[in-house]
Amino acid sequence: MLSLSTYVRNTSVRLLVAGVAISLAYSGWNCKSTTAPIVDPSASDVTLAAPAATDGFQVRVGPFNVPSGTEVQKDYYLKLPNATDVWVSKVIFRFNAGSHHLNIFKNDDSTYADQVIDDFNAIDFAHWRMVASSQRDSLVWEMPNGCAFLLKAHQQMMFQTHYVNAGTQATVTGRGLCLVNFITTAGNAAPTNIVGCVFSQNTAVDLKPHTSSTWLKVVKLLPGTSNILLMTGHYHSRGKSFVVTHWKDGKSTDTLYKNVTWDDPP
């Protein structure tokens, strides 16, 4: 999966890029042991001080059990606590160790009952828009001056958290827990540049045992003039590399992004 955070200046639209080519290499060799790690009953959950009410709010996802030898992905459907629309210019993530990712989506079309669903299926991307994401258990994403994204009053959200406590990752607490602080602009002032996320994924990956393959997908992500704030790839432990290049005139040109460490993406 490729995630881009972009901002559009003054909502002007001009063609910027023809597209990008995403190359993903996987190997079925040298698979790591699935021996379950030991849960430490004395390990403590992560903490994060909530912001002052005038500066933003905190969302708590969990805690939930991640027993040894298991992998858990949960979708938390909830409404945000903000009573008015807010412009967010900073997001702070803190997770218990063992999380592979936390993806945050918003929905402007529909509302759902507050609920938690265990689910590894893809969500309906026609209605859910990515807001932010982290694959690290501690991350601060602060946008440049004048940049922010909008969250409506009591915005419908879905927080998707993925934990592994077997082989490639260890959840030493035996519990998943994610804390997220949304920090608003000073005085909740509207930005000069609106931030949004776009992403692409390739679900047509079929890797036979003891084989290696590389998949290429060409996508046109940006419909107009945008400035890219950040870019990250997303793949799991069988992956060997993730490369994004500029695709122009039917061929791959300059490299925009490269990752060869699945558990520590740049």
Side-chain angles (χ1 to χ4, degrees), residues 111-130:
T111 58
Y112 298 79
D114 290 358
Q115 58 187 312
V116 181
I117 298 177
D118 291 279
D119 192 3
F120 278 96
N121 294 317
I123 66 171
D124 184 355
F125 298 122
H127 299 286
W128 292 96
R129 298 179 182 273
M130 181 174 280

Side-chain angles (χ1 to χ4, degrees), residues 53-266:
T54 53
D55 298 330
F57 52 86
Q58 182 177 100
V59 173
R60 181 183 180 95
V61 178
F64 52 87
N65 291 329
V66 188
S68 293
T70 66
E71 181 176 5
V72 176
Q73 181 162 289
K74 292 181 177 289
D75 296 342
Y76 280 74
Y77 292 82
L78 54 85
K79 314 318 184 283
L80 292 180
N82 51 304
T84 60
D85 294 356
V86 293
W87 290 101
V88 175
S89 59
K90 184 177 181 180
V91 185
I92 303 173
F93 297 87
R94 293 288 187 277
F95 307 156
N96 276 3
S99 173
H100 183 261
H101 71 254
L102 176 68
N103 294 331
I104 305 175
F105 301 93
K106 70 174 183 176
N107 192 316
D108 293 324
D109 305 320
S110 306
T111 58
Y112 298 79
D114 290 358
Q115 58 187 312
V116 181
I117 298 177
D118 291 279
D119 192 3
F120 278 96
N121 294 317
I123 66 171
D124 184 355
F125 298 122
H127 299 286
W128 292 96
R129 298 179 182 273
M130 181 174 280
V131 171
S133 177
S134 177
Q135 296 175 62
R136 297 182 176 182
D137 55 20
S138 180
L139 177 70
V140 178
W141 178 32
E142 186 166 8
M143 284 151 256
N145 289 336
C147 297
F149 61 81
L150 178 66
L151 293 175
K152 296 179 180 179
H154 303 304
Q155 176 85 55
Q156 175 67 61
M157 306 290 288
M158 193 269 275
F159 290 72
Q160 181 190 79
T161 177
H162 180 194
Y163 267 82
V164 180
N165 199 11
T168 56
Q169 288 181 265
T171 305
V172 294
T173 60
R175 296 180 299 277
L177 176 64
C178 304
L179 304 175
V180 185
N181 284 356
F182 294 90
I183 310 300
T184 58
T185 58
N188 198 29
T192 54
N193 301 293
I194 300 173
V195 174
C197 293
V198 293
F199 65 95
S200 177
Q201 63 178 359
N202 189 352
T203 58
V205 174
D206 184 14
L207 183 66
K208 304 301 181 183
H210 305 295
T211 63
S212 299
S213 297
T214 299
W215 287 268
L216 177 69
K217 183 174 184 178
V218 179
V219 293
K220 184 176 180 180
L221 292 175
L222 305 176
T225 298
S226 299
N227 297 274
I228 297 176
L229 297 180
L230 62 88
M231 179 185 296
T232 187
H234 185 149
Y235 63 100
H236 293 190
S237 60
R238 300 294 180 260
K240 299 302 180 184
S241 65
F242 193 111
V243 180
V244 181
T245 62
H246 187 191
W247 184 266
K248 187 177 181 180
D249 299 327
K251 62 181 180 180
S252 177
T253 59
D254 50 306
T255 298
L256 304 177
Y257 173 90
K258 184 176 181 179
N259 180 22
V260 295
T261 52
W262 73 273
D263 57 349
D264 189 23

